[in-house]
Amino acid sequence: CVSVLAVERYVTVPGPSVNNNKPITTCYYSYDVTVTDGVHRAKCQLASELNSLVHQCVLRTGVEIKIVQCAFLYNEKCLGPGCVLLEGIEFGRERSPLLQTLTEEDVERLPFFTSRLRNVLTQSDGPLKVEKKHYLPLWNNDDPYGVLWKCDIAPPSDAPALRCNLSRGIHLCDLELFWGCTSRVPPLLVRVMYKSRLRFFGKPEGSIDMPYQAYIEVADCTGLMSMVLWNEMCPEWYQKLHVGTVILVENYDMKQAFESRTQPTPADPSMTLLRSREISVNAVDPTGKITIIPQQAVKPEWKLPDVTYKFVSRCQLDSLSPGDTCDVIGMVTFVGRCERIKKKDEAERFWTCRWVHIVDETTEQPFILEIFASSQPEAFSNIYPMSYLVCTQMRVVGEARGHHMNYLTSSNESQVYSAGCHKGQPYVSDPKVKSFIQWTKTLSEEAVLQKTVIGGYYRFPHSPDKFTPSSVVPSLTCTSELQQEIEELHYRERRCIAVQGFIAAVRYVAWPAARGGSRRQPEQVGEEHPNSLQREMGFRHNLVDHDAMVAPTLQGKKRCIPSAMMFPYQQCNTLQACSRFLGLGIKSEEDAPTDEKTVQADSRKRSRPQQEDLEQPGPGCQSSSDTLAVVTLEEVSSPSWECGIWSAVQQHLSVHLSHSLHSASVPRKFDYKRREFLMQQHNLHPARWQPPPAAATACDAEEFTPVCNHGYYIVTIMGVTQQAAIDAVFLPVTSPDDPRRVGRPQAPHDNTLLSCLTEGFVSPESTGTAGRGGAQQSFPSPGKSRAGLLQLESLEM
C-alpha cells in the first residue's frame, strides 16, 4: 500500500482511453497523483476513467491506496521521459497510518523514485504531460496554485536608474497623446487602487503556457485607468501587487478598453475615470517591466491618491439599492462550509463560495455575505467566528430576488481580508474601522462565543411562497430524473432543484443523545474492520445492485432508515427539503469522514452491496393515517406517519431515493480552542497533503453541539405520477442562534407539521418568565409539535 501526498489538476488534450476505445472527448482535465511508501515518492498520471474518483473527492490526499493495475506511458511525439499511468486502484484506510507518523518536513526529504531500467519522469513542478507547464488549483480555476506564483518582493536594485525613470514619467491623462505611437511609451508612476480576481482562459488545444489575465486598477493625480496583466506576468506579479502598492510601469502597450466587463466603483466620486484605453503589460513584445516602490520611498510631491473606502454599517445596508457597491467590516458570528457552483455550460469549471454572517456595533442584525473566491486562497480559507473580516467592493442584492432583506455578494473586484491579513492595509486608518475596533473592546468574549456557529447547510434568500422559474431553479425536475441529478454531482457541489409531488410519509428522528444511544448520527452504518475497507476500482461501480438504491419497505411497526451512502458515484448527498414549495437543495457532501469510526460507509460505495447495520426505531412508532387526524411526535420514540395509499404504492415504485442527514449538514456551536480542526472540516480538501492540527486526532465532529438541539424530519415525497419517490431531510429552525433564522418572517404559527414545512421554523412559545423586552420565549422540540397530518393527505406541493 502507498499513501497519497498530492492530487493535482491541469488542462489537457483529450486522449484515448486505457481500453483503446474512441478518444474521450469530454475530459478536458487530467490529474497527477503523488504517492509514497515511506521510503520514496513517485508522481503518476491518473487514467481518465478514474477521474470521477477525484470529482467525488474519494481519491484525495491522506488516504491509503493499493495500485492493482498500471502501465508505462510514453509520448512518442516528445523526446521527454515517460511516466506511470494508474489504471486500477483499491482503497485502504481513510487516514493513512504512515502519514500519521510523518511531518511535512519528513515528506519533503523523501527522495523521488528513479528507475534504473527506464527513464521515468518522477519529479517535476509541472504536469507529467510535458506539453503543459503548470497546475491549476484542484477545485476552481480562480486561485493561484503552485511554485510558479511568486510572493516575495525584491527591492529596486538600481536606484540611479529608478530616479531617472521617475523623472521621465507621464500622467495617465496624457496617454491619449501616445495612442498609435510606435515608439516606446514613457513610464507611469501609479498606485494600485483595486484588483480583480484571476481569469484563466486556457483551452485543451491552446498553445499559451500561462493563459491568465488580471485587471489592476491604477491611479495617479489625474485619474483612474485599468492595467491588464497577461500570461506570464500574472504568476510573476499578481500576488505582489496589493491594494495601496505604488509601482513604476515600463515597456507597456496601449489597447482599446474592453467595455463588456465589470468595473469597480470608486469610493471617491471626484476621481476621473479614464475608461477608453487600458494599459497592457505582457511578457513579450514588449517585455513589460514593473518596479515596486517601497512605502517609505513614496514622496508627497508625487500627489498619488490615497486608497479610500465606502464602509457602510448594518443599519445603512437596507437603505441601499440593489446593485450598489460598498465595503463592510464586522465580527464573524457564522461561517458556512466551502461550496462549489458549476459555471454555465462548463462541465468541470466551478465557482467556490461560502456564506458568512458578520455583526457591527449598530444592530444585532448581521450582514449576510455570499463570498466567492477572490484569488486569495489563504484569506478565503481562514475565515472563522470571532475574527474580524473586511470585504471590499461588495455588491448589494435586494428585493430584485424576491426577498425582504438586502444581502451582499462578491463582485469581480472584491477583496477579502480575514485574520492575519489586516496589518498594513490602507483601511486601518479609516474612522469607521477605528470605531468598530473600539466597540469590539467592550464585548464579552463569553457572550460572543455563545452566539457563534460554524458549518451546516445554508441557503439565502429563502424560498418564495410560490414556485416561479428563475435563474437559480429554471424549471421543475421530474422525480424520475433525480437519481441522474445526484450521480452527476461533484464534491461539495451546490445545486438547487424543485420537484412537485405529494407528501407520502413523514418520520421524526431525534438526535442520538435524546434517544439515549450513541453519539453517531442515525444514518451512519456499523463499524467495519480496516482490512475490509479495500475495494477494487475500474468499472465495478456499474455492477452495483439496483436494489441497493431502493428504500426498505415497512415491516410491521418498524421501519429501517436507509444509509446515506446509496449511490456508487456520489459521496453522501444531502437533499434538503426547502421551505415553502419544497425546492430541494442538493449537496455533494463533505469528503468522507476523517475519523476511522465513520469511514465504513464511504468505503463501500464502489464495492458490491453489503449488509448494513441500519438503525431501527422502537416499537409503536408507526401510526395509521386512516384513524389519526393529529399526531403528537414524541422526541424519544421517533414516530412516523404515512398517507393512506403509501403502503400500496411504494411496492410498485420504479425508484425510491433515500437520504438521511449527514453530520456536516448540521450547523454546530463554534469552539475557539479547536478552531483549526473545525476550519479543516469546513474548508475544501487540500490538493497537497497537510498534517492535521495537533488536536485533530482527538477530535470528532460529533463532539460539537448542534445548534438545532432537537431533531429533524425525513419527508418522503412521491411524484405526481406515483412512479418515483425521494426521502428528503427537513431540518427546521429550532434555536434563536441558528443562522438560518435570519431573514425569515417571524410571525407565529400553530406548529403543525405543514406550518413548519411552509415557514421553515418551529414557532417559539412563551415561557411565562419575564425577561428583557418582555416574556422569554423557548423553541419546542419538533418532535412535540402537533402535526395536522390530515392536512397533508393528497396535498400537492
Side-chain angles (χ1 to χ4, degrees):
C1 289
V2 293
S3 302
V4 179
L5 292 176
V7 180
E8 298 175 294
R9 180 177 68 113
Y10 54 98
V11 175
T12 185
V13 177
S17 66
V18 295
N19 295 322
N20 297 320
N21 295 327
K22 295 180 180 180
I24 301 172
T25 58
T26 58
C27 177
Y28 293 114
Y29 295 93
S30 290
Y31 298 90
D32 290 343
V33 180
T34 304
V35 297
T36 181
D37 60 359
V39 180
H40 294 91
R41 286 181 287 170
K43 182 182 286 189
C44 310
Q45 187 178 325
L46 188 69
S48 56
E49 284 85 353
L50 303 184
N51 282 2
S52 56
L53 296 178
V54 181
H55 297 164
Q56 307 301 331
C57 201
V58 176
L59 177 59
R60 62 184 186 275
T61 58
V63 301
E64 185 180 66
I65 65 172
K66 181 180 179 181
I67 301 173
V68 297
Q69 184 177 346
C70 62
F72 193 79
L73 190 66
Y74 273 112
N75 186 347
E76 295 184 349
K77 293 184 178 181
C78 300
L79 296 176
C83 65
V84 176
L85 178 69
L86 302 182
E87 298 177 336
I89 56 177
E90 294 178 352
F91 286 84
R93 281 161 285 197
E94 299 288 344
R95 295 174 61 186
S96 166
L98 170 63
L99 293 181
Q100 294 182 39
T101 64
L102 300 176
T103 65
E104 205 163 3
E105 293 75 18
D106 294 335
V107 171
E108 289 299 322
R109 285 194 292 265
L110 292 177
F112 276 84
F113 171 76
T114 55
S115 172
R116 297 180 180 179
L117 302 178
R118 292 182 176 178
N119 187 15
V120 182
L121 181 62
T122 57
Q123 181 177 8
S124 172
D125 292 331
L128 291 178
K129 291 188 176 181
V130 295
E131 67 270 12
K132 298 300 177 184
K133 305 300 182 184
H134 75 290
Y135 287 114
L136 290 167
L138 187 56
W139 305 118
N140 64 31
N141 290 349
D142 304 316
D143 292 334
Y145 174 81
V147 297
L148 295 178
W149 295 84
K150 300 176 182 179
C151 300
D152 299 331
I153 300 175
S157 57
D158 192 347
L162 177 61
R163 287 193 294 269
C164 178
N165 291 336
L166 289 174
S167 64
R168 296 189 296 107
I170 62 171
H171 290 138
L172 290 174
C173 65
D174 297 330
L175 285 176
E176 192 74 26
L177 302 175
F178 293 88
W179 177 250
C181 182
T182 57
S183 60
R184 184 171 296 181
V185 186
L188 293 171
L189 181 65
V190 291
R191 187 189 297 274
V192 175
M193 306 296 285
Y194 306 99
K195 286 177 63 174
S196 73
R197 67 166 61 94
L198 284 168
R199 175 177 171 261
F200 175 78
F201 57 90
K203 297 181 179 179
E205 66 279 1
S207 58
I208 302 175
D209 291 337
M210 299 294 294
Y212 284 95
Q213 177 198 56
Y215 275 88
I216 311 292
E217 305 298 321
V218 297
D220 62 11
C221 60
T222 64
L224 179 76
M225 183 178 285
S226 299
M227 180 178 76
V228 191
L229 300 180
W230 289 98
N231 305 331
E232 286 80 0
M233 297 300 289
C234 288
E236 178 69 27
W237 288 103
Y238 183 80
Q239 295 196 105
K240 298 178 183 179
L241 301 182
H242 306 291
V243 173
T245 303
V246 177
I247 57 176
L248 181 70
V249 186
E250 304 173 80
N251 300 346
Y252 56 90
D253 272 342
M254 291 294 299
K255 301 289 185 180
Q256 188 74 30
F258 182 65
E259 296 180 356
S260 301
R261 75 171 186 93
T262 62
Q263 302 278 0
T265 304
D268 183 2
S270 64
M271 181 171 289
T272 303
L273 305 181
L274 307 173
R275 300 298 194 195
S276 61
R277 304 284 187 263
E278 62 187 24
I279 305 162
S280 179
V281 185
N282 214 321
V284 293
D285 299 328
T287 301
K289 181 180 179 182
I290 297 176
T291 305
I292 295 178
I293 310 297
Q295 186 62 37
Q296 61 272 20
V298 177
K299 298 180 180 180
E301 54 264 30
W302 295 346
K303 297 181 180 179
L304 296 177
D306 293 326
V307 179
T308 56
Y309 296 90
K310 185 184 178 182
F311 283 103
V312 299
S313 66
R314 180 59 186 86
C315 286
Q316 296 171 324
L317 177 62
D318 291 332
S319 63
L320 299 181
S321 302
D324 286 352
T325 302
C326 64
D327 309 315
V328 293
I329 181 173
M331 177 178 290
V332 179
T333 57
F334 162 72
V335 56
R337 59 188 175 186
C338 293
E339 299 174 342
R340 303 165 70 214
I341 304 174
K342 184 172 290 186
K343 298 182 179 181
K344 287 186 177 180
D345 304 323
E346 296 285 355
E348 293 185 39
R349 295 197 177 192
F350 292 84
W351 299 107
T352 305
C353 69
R354 69 192 320 169
W355 290 94
V356 177
H357 287 187
I358 62 174
V359 296
D360 63 11
E361 68 273 27
T362 61
T363 177
E364 292 184 356
Q365 195 78 270
F367 289 98
I368 300 177
L369 310 178
E370 184 183 28
I371 300 178
F372 286 83
S374 55
S375 304
Q376 301 170 280
E378 291 80 11
F380 184 78
S381 61
N382 200 38
I383 303 173
Y384 58 87
M386 298 187 71
S387 63
Y388 301 158
L389 183 68
V390 174
C391 299
T392 64
Q393 291 293 304
M394 299 292 285
R395 191 175 68 251
V396 177
V397 185
E399 295 180 358
R401 290 277 296 270
H403 58 282
H404 308 292
M405 174 183 276
N406 285 351
Y407 75 96
L408 298 172
T409 188
S410 301
S411 67
N412 191 51
E413 293 77 24
S414 290
Q415 294 286 286
V416 176
Y417 304 95
S418 57
C421 302
H422 302 298
K423 186 177 180 180
Q425 297 299 335
Y427 56 75
V428 296
S429 59
D430 189 281
K432 290 191 176 181
V433 173
K434 291 182 177 180
S435 174
F436 168 79
I437 298 299
Q438 289 300 318
W439 170 73
T440 60
K441 294 178 181 179
T442 66
L443 299 177
S444 166
E445 211 171 281
E446 288 187 11
V448 174
L449 185 59
Q450 289 178 356
K451 298 181 179 180
T452 54
V453 180
I454 190 169
Y457 174 82
Y458 186 91
R459 180 188 173 187
F460 195 87
H462 308 298
S463 302
D465 294 330
K466 295 182 180 180
F467 171 76
T468 54
S470 66
S471 59
V472 180
V473 187
S475 61
L476 289 169
T477 300
C478 297
T479 51
S480 58
E481 299 173 353
L482 284 176
Q483 181 173 339
Q484 181 180 354
E485 291 275 349
I486 293 170
E487 292 175 347
E488 291 176 352
L489 287 173
H490 284 224
Y491 167 64
R492 291 279 186 90
E493 180 180 355
R494 184 176 84 194
R495 188 184 304 180
C496 252
I497 66 171
V499 299
Q500 61 174 330
F502 303 96
I503 295 182
V506 179
R507 182 176 184 274
Y508 176 73
V509 181
W511 296 127
R515 295 195 303 267
S518 66
R519 282 168 37 208
R520 289 184 303 146
Q521 294 295 338
E523 73 274 10
Q524 293 171 342
V525 298
E527 186 172 359
E528 190 172 313
H529 193 274
N531 290 339
S532 64
L533 296 180
Q534 298 179 351
R535 57 203 184 272
E536 184 176 355
M537 298 311 305
F539 300 98
R540 192 171 296 179
H541 61 274
N542 292 329
L543 305 179
V544 174
D545 190 355
H546 175 74
D547 293 337
M549 300 181 187
V550 181
T553 58
L554 298 172
Q555 299 176 354
K557 292 188 177 183
K558 295 184 179 181
R559 182 182 179 187
C560 296
I561 300 301
S563 169
M565 306 295 185
M566 283 293 182
F567 298 97
Y569 253 63
Q570 178 56 41
Q571 180 152 354
C572 187
N573 305 296
T574 297
L575 286 88
Q576 296 286 349
C578 297
S579 60
R580 313 198 189 285
F581 63 83
L582 287 184
L584 300 182
I586 297 184
K587 294 283 187 176
S588 178
E589 278 296 347
E590 303 283 310
D591 49 81
T594 56
D595 187 72
E596 291 184 11
K597 294 182 180 179
T598 56
V599 79
Q600 63 280 359
D602 179 65
S603 68
R604 290 188 297 223
K605 283 188 295 187
R606 291 175 178 77
S607 62
R608 60 183 182 276
Q610 300 182 22
Q611 184 70 27
E612 294 186 345
D613 181 18
L614 298 175
E615 188 166 345
Q616 297 179 347
C621 64
Q622 180 64 35
S623 304
S624 171
S625 61
D626 298 329
T627 59
L628 191 59
V630 179
V631 176
T632 300
L633 298 178
E634 297 296 335
E635 181 176 354
V636 176
S637 61
S638 297
S640 60
W641 166 89
E642 64 181 40
C643 67
I645 64 171
W646 175 238
S647 297
V649 171
Q650 68 172 334
Q651 307 294 334
H652 306 288
L653 294 175
S654 59
V655 62
H656 186 168
L657 306 179
S658 301
H659 296 267
S660 296
L661 181 64
H662 191 273
S663 172
S665 292
V666 181
R668 299 181 183 272
K669 288 290 188 178
F670 179 68
D671 186 336
Y672 187 82
K673 294 181 179 179
R674 295 187 285 180
R675 64 186 181 279
E676 295 292 338
F677 171 77
L678 290 170
M679 290 163 61
Q680 182 190 62
Q681 293 293 303
H682 296 100
N683 285 328
L684 297 174
H685 201 83
R688 291 179 175 269
W689 176 76
Q690 298 172 355
T697 54
C699 283
D700 184 351
E702 302 303 324
E703 298 176 10
F704 299 90
T705 305
V707 176
C708 316
N709 50 8
H710 295 292
Y712 60 93
Y713 295 104
I714 297 177
V715 182
T716 301
I717 303 171
M718 180 173 59
V720 291
T721 61
Q722 300 183 3
Q723 298 298 311
I726 181 172
D727 289 345
V729 170
F730 172 56
L731 183 64
V733 175
T734 60
S735 168
D737 296 330
D738 194 323
R740 299 174 300 148
R741 189 169 184 252
V742 178
R744 290 186 183 275
Q746 299 302 314
H749 57 79
D750 56 5
N751 274 340
T752 62
L753 179 58
L754 180 59
S755 297
C756 293
L757 284 169
T758 304
E759 301 298 332
F761 67 95
V762 175
S763 184
E765 297 175 347
S766 175
T767 63
T769 305
R772 294 182 62 183
Q776 292 183 351
Q777 292 182 325
S778 65
F779 284 79
S781 164
K784 296 181 181 178
S785 299
R786 294 180 57 81
L789 294 176
L790 280 186
Q791 299 175 0
L792 303 181
E793 289 281 359
S794 303
L795 178 64
E796 184 176 351
M797 305 185 75

